[in-house]
Amino acid sequence: MIWLICTLLLFLLEVVYFRIADRCNIIDKPNLRSSHTVVTLRGGGIVFLFGAWLYTAFFGFTYPWFLVGLTLVALISFVDDIHSLPDSVRLVAQFAAMFMMFQQFGILNWHDWWIVVVALVVCVGIINAYNFMDGINGITGGYSLAVLLPLIYMNYKTGFVAMPFLYIVGLSLLVFCFFNFRKKAKCFAGDVGSITIAFILLFALGLLILKTQDFSYIVFLAVYGADTVLTICHRIRLHENLGEAHRKHAYQLMANELGIAHVNVSLLYMSVQLAISFGMIFIPVNHYLYLCGIIVLLFVAYIVFMKKNYWRHEQYLKSRQS
């Protein structure tokens, strides 16, 4: 009964938000980076924050520092969706929220302050990379489910986080996917959605890594990681301004230049990540050796794909200039 109530409340809260977004003109207009052509409601991913609040309401204030950090980063991201904020404001809020997450982890040790600083920079980079990858229908919701499912399985084995927390996250993802994982999306996640779900999944993944003392579980984010890192390297090689909008991610080339349906591209990313994650869990091989092998395979696949298809994107750029 409690899960039915939570599901209904999440649907209700999402629909109420749609009414507010429509009335307040919180929309996503197509731009040079966009893979869509129709004005669509933005910020539907706020349902992930609603899910975290519902977990607290029904199951108690289990992770107070995490919830405060999540709320801070979500609200700043939501404001940024409505009115663009300076990068400095967003980054300060993200570092502050991540610091609160580390406080929840119980790993703030001033004797190893440099490790904390490095970890903060890496984690803030991860949640922003997650945001960069939010560009087509279904990819944020679908990929997040692909990250969540192995986390749920590992939680059955090791018990690193309260299971109802992961279930609530799963329900909020399913509600969002109902409106977004389709040919014509009702809403987009917005920065509030992609940043928030990245923060939530990174929290769960961090707890798993701390519980097992096995950093190789970062492979649960391998597909996004490879696409993001190699796209940044590609843009640096092209002497581009990394702060400018672009459409050079592999998934963007698939959806735009190759004309593959958004839903199919999202399913591809989701399926590859699921295969990699459960391969890590079930294949009897050294985890770090497996991680290195996956990184090499993804890097090779990316390079081969770009060598074969990037010329199409160059033609697109020439057509816009002409």
Side-chain angles (χ1 to χ4, degrees):
M1 180 59 70
I2 193 170
W3 300 116
L4 177 60
I5 293 172
C6 286
T7 303
L8 293 175
L9 284 174
L10 287 169
F11 266 109
L12 177 62
L13 289 168
E14 186 76 317
V15 171
V16 169
Y17 170 74
F18 290 161
R19 292 282 189 107
I20 296 172
D22 189 42
R23 182 170 298 179
C24 297
N25 203 35
I26 305 174
I27 56 175
D28 194 304
K29 296 180 179 179
N31 56 38
L32 289 176
R33 176 181 178 272
S34 302
S35 297
H36 64 282
T37 57
V38 179
V39 174
T40 308
L41 294 178
R42 175 188 285 187
I46 198 170
V47 70
F48 307 138
L49 178 63
F50 295 156
W53 286 346
L54 281 180
Y55 167 77
T56 302
F58 283 99
F59 297 97
F61 211 42
T62 314
Y63 307 112
W65 284 105
F66 161 75
L67 186 64
V68 173
L70 177 68
T71 303
L72 170 63
V73 78
L75 292 179
I76 288 294
S77 299
F78 183 64
V79 172
D80 191 46
D81 279 330
I82 300 173
H83 179 73
S84 184
L85 295 173
D87 291 343
S88 57
V89 174
R90 291 187 290 105
L91 286 174
V92 167
Q94 289 170 6
F95 273 104
M98 199 60 65
F99 191 85
M100 294 179 199
M101 183 192 288
F102 282 19
Q103 175 66 28
Q104 189 67 66
F105 287 156
I107 62 172
L108 293 181
N109 184 344
W110 296 114
H111 295 293
D112 300 318
W113 63 268
W114 63 274
I115 298 178
V116 173
V117 171
V118 171
L120 281 171
V121 172
V122 170
C123 290
V124 169
I126 289 173
I127 63 173
N128 279 286
Y130 218 94
N131 187 32
F132 297 155
M133 294 295 292
D134 179 35
I136 61 174
N137 297 354
I139 197 165
T140 292
Y143 188 82
S144 298
L145 283 171
V147 177
L148 182 67
L149 290 175
L151 286 172
I152 290 175
Y153 179 83
M154 287 302 300
N155 199 43
Y156 275 118
K157 294 179 63 178
T158 62
F160 57 88
V161 69
M163 189 61 84
F165 173 76
L166 296 182
Y167 288 160
I168 288 286
V169 174
L171 285 176
S172 64
L173 280 168
L174 290 174
V175 169
F176 174 71
C177 284
F178 178 81
F179 295 106
N180 176 261
F181 206 138
R182 53 172 75 177
K183 183 177 181 180
K184 186 177 180 181
K186 170 71 174 177
C187 70
F188 294 147
D191 286 359
V192 65
S194 53
I195 293 288
T196 299
I197 194 60
F199 194 86
I200 291 170
L201 293 175
L202 194 59
F203 173 66
L205 182 59
L207 288 174
L208 171 61
I209 290 172
L210 290 171
K211 177 76 173 184
T212 61
Q213 294 296 297
D214 188 348
F215 180 76
S216 64
Y217 282 110
I218 197 70
V219 79
F220 287 2
L221 297 173
V223 176
Y224 262 22
D227 195 331
T228 300
V229 170
L230 289 173
T231 299
I232 290 174
C233 292
H234 186 197
R235 297 191 69 205
I236 291 173
R237 184 169 174 268
L238 295 173
H239 305 290
E240 291 186 354
N241 182 350
L242 298 181
E244 291 182 353
H246 70 97
R247 299 198 330 184
K248 288 183 172 63
H249 284 289
Y251 78 87
Q252 290 172 318
L253 265 68
M254 292 178 191
N256 298 316
E257 279 69 26
L258 296 181
I260 303 174
H262 288 204
V263 170
N264 292 338
V265 176
S266 298
L267 284 171
L268 174 63
Y269 270 64
M270 182 180 182
S271 301
V272 172
Q273 185 59 67
L274 279 172
I276 289 172
S277 299
F278 281 107
M280 169 80 149
I281 294 170
F282 292 116
I283 296 175
V285 66
N286 180 275
H287 282 186
Y288 288 97
L289 182 62
Y290 182 86
L291 174 62
C292 291
I294 289 299
I295 291 173
V296 171
L297 284 174
L298 289 174
F299 276 36
V300 169
Y302 177 93
I303 293 170
V304 170
F305 175 80
M306 284 296 174
K307 282 186 174 294
K308 184 178 180 181
N309 296 292
Y310 186 69
W311 64 271
R312 302 174 189 272
H313 182 67
E314 291 177 325
Q315 283 190 336
Y316 159 76
L317 293 177
K318 289 178 181 177
S319 68
R320 290 195 64 89
Q321 291 173 355
S322 60

